[in-house]
Amino acid sequence: MQIKTFSGPDARVVLAQVKADMGEDAVILSSREVQKDGQRWHEVTAGLDHPGGDSGSMPAEWAEWRKEWGKLKEHLYTLMQPSIQWERLSPRQRVALEYLQREGVADPVIMDLYQKMLSGSSVLEALGDLMPVRPWGADEWPERVHAVAGPYGSGKSTAALRMGMLLRKEAPSLKIAFINADCERGNGRLLLRHWAELSDFLYTEAPDAESMRAALRACGEADRIFIDLPGIGGQSGTLLDSLGSLGIQGIGAAVHLTLPPHYSDAQNRAFLTRYQTGLLASIVWSKLDEAAGYGPLINVAVTSGLPASALSHGAGMRSTLSPARETLLWRLVFKRQLPGQGASSAGEEGGRASAEAE
């Protein structure tokens, strides 16, 4: 494994350095905040599994080595946990950090938060550095083409519709078009078409590259185009493969990955690997009302470096998607409170942790 350390005054600047130097396949191994010339400085250590080559050129024993390395990291973090000197944290910080541990926030993230809090950051300040947001909206997302991707059953078609409907509510004059590239699933196809027509969106279907070219031509006057991408089947497919088969890998689309919060960390890492591409622009969190906790939101943010753009929940289509904002994320994580709803009794412990964090 090729390992390098990058530093800079801002976490996003450092992540851009990692991407430029090591490419899209770089894995963030650690992230910490240090003091340099009296100022906070971000330091990120990244690793590259197969520098200068593709996965097809890796030796056969690579998968086994990678598995052993994963186990080794787990053991290392297990050994590091007792080294957390809780007495060095304030009571507020300790309550919040212990709560995040119980919510399933990964050990490397807990250690990173611990180091940030020792350097003077509050819990929310430290989380803000790790969880970027770019709220969904016409001004924040001016790209014309938005492709919505995600595993089967992740709620991507519903999320795409809700994103379009929120744009229409925000800017009624926008001309919005939907291209359904996931035409094999009958229920999703009918839902997308039904709501697109009700919302006065141009709707067309494009299961292959030829029909996609025709669909894009038909959407020539649209201000925003949404493409509902097919889920990735099997064990070897990737988002790049899907974009290539549709002939849209070079059109400059912003791709939003839809994920529900109840996948395991291992499953999320596997999805992020298969969906990784330079076009991937944000995470849309879906099915938030079905989750028992929201620790995975933090883990995915740290693993991917992607901002959260929207929060989707509930069974209806209207008023069930909100632009992602830090305050909404903190309420989800600490109070288990969905956007637009009051805190539930299930979030009493998290509410205490949230109050302490603030």
Side-chain angles (χ1 to χ4, degrees):
M1 173 179 280
Q2 178 188 1
I3 298 176
K4 288 186 178 182
T5 298
F6 303 82
S7 61
D10 182 88
R12 296 187 182 183
V13 171
V14 180
L15 290 173
Q17 293 176 11
V18 173
K19 181 178 178 180
D21 188 275
M22 305 184 77
E24 299 289 346
D25 293 331
V27 178
I28 304 302
L29 301 178
S30 68
S31 174
R32 67 190 186 105
E33 195 173 81
V34 297
Q35 292 290 327
K36 184 176 181 180
D37 298 329
Q39 295 182 340
R40 293 181 181 178
W41 205 255
H42 294 267
E43 189 175 275
V44 170
T45 300
L48 189 61
D49 289 341
H50 47 285
D54 56 36
S55 58
S57 62
M58 290 189 295
E61 65 272 12
W62 179 257
E64 187 63 30
W65 185 92
R66 194 171 183 178
K67 184 186 298 183
E68 292 178 0
W69 170 243
K71 291 181 179 179
L72 177 60
K73 286 198 294 183
E74 290 179 7
H75 291 315
L76 286 174
Y77 283 116
T78 299
L79 292 172
M80 290 170 67
Q81 281 291 336
S83 69
I84 294 182
Q85 298 175 342
W86 294 102
E87 67 276 7
R88 297 182 63 186
L89 299 176
S90 70
R92 289 172 177 262
Q93 292 173 326
R94 179 169 180 171
V95 167
L97 198 60
E98 288 178 336
Y99 173 78
L100 292 176
Q101 277 188 310
R102 291 191 292 273
E103 286 295 289
V105 175
D107 288 342
V109 182
I110 293 294
M111 295 298 298
D112 197 2
L113 290 171
Y114 172 72
Q115 293 296 331
K116 288 178 181 294
M117 286 188 286
L118 287 183
S119 67
S121 297
S122 70
V123 177
L124 297 187
E125 287 174 338
L127 282 172
D129 290 339
L130 299 178
M131 297 182 67
V133 295
R134 185 181 170 188
W136 176 250
D139 293 335
E140 294 85 354
W141 291 94
E143 295 88 348
R144 182 168 180 257
V145 182
H146 296 271
V148 183
Y152 289 115
S154 65
K156 63 179 177 59
S157 298
T158 302
L161 280 167
R162 291 172 175 175
M163 292 166 77
M165 293 170 71
L166 190 62
L167 281 188
R168 171 58 58 79
K169 181 178 180 181
E170 177 186 337
S173 63
L174 280 180
K175 296 180 180 179
I176 298 175
F178 267 85
I179 301 176
N180 183 8
D182 190 11
C183 303
E184 295 183 359
R185 297 183 304 120
N187 290 340
R189 179 183 183 185
L190 292 175
L191 175 71
L192 192 60
R193 182 168 189 166
H194 171 72
W195 280 100
E197 291 175 348
L198 281 180
S199 304
D200 195 27
F201 300 154
L202 174 65
Y203 174 86
T204 185
E205 297 180 354
D208 52 44
E210 182 178 354
S211 56
M212 179 62 71
R213 287 192 292 270
L216 289 171
R217 288 194 297 270
C219 298
E221 296 184 0
D223 299 304
R224 295 291 190 277
I225 300 173
F226 288 85
I227 302 176
D228 183 22
L229 295 173
I232 297 175
Q235 298 297 319
S236 59
T238 67
L239 177 58
L240 280 177
D241 296 334
S242 181
L243 296 174
S245 66
L246 293 169
I248 55 175
Q249 68 271 49
I251 66 172
V255 181
H256 307 275
L257 176 58
T258 304
L259 287 175
H262 48 263
Y263 290 148
S264 68
D265 287 339
Q267 186 67 73
N268 281 327
R269 287 194 297 270
F271 282 136
L272 288 171
T273 298
R274 298 177 68 189
Y275 282 88
Q276 184 59 53
T277 167
L279 296 175
L280 201 58
S282 83
I283 301 292
V284 175
W285 287 103
S286 62
K287 300 188 176 184
L288 292 171
D289 52 308
E290 298 180 11
Y294 300 96
L297 275 68
I298 302 174
N299 297 337
V300 168
V302 173
T303 301
S304 68
L306 293 169
S309 60
L311 307 173
S312 179
H313 61 88
M317 293 301 298
R318 302 185 185 280
S319 302
T320 48
L321 182 136
S322 302
R325 303 187 188 280
E326 286 188 345
T327 53
L328 296 182
L329 289 172
W330 305 157
R331 289 170 187 164
L332 270 174
V333 171
F334 287 107
K335 297 183 179 181
R336 301 177 188 174
Q337 180 180 338
L338 296 172
Q341 296 184 2
S344 65
S345 59
E348 290 179 359
E349 182 189 5
R352 176 172 173 249
S354 179
E356 297 290 353
E358 295 168 357

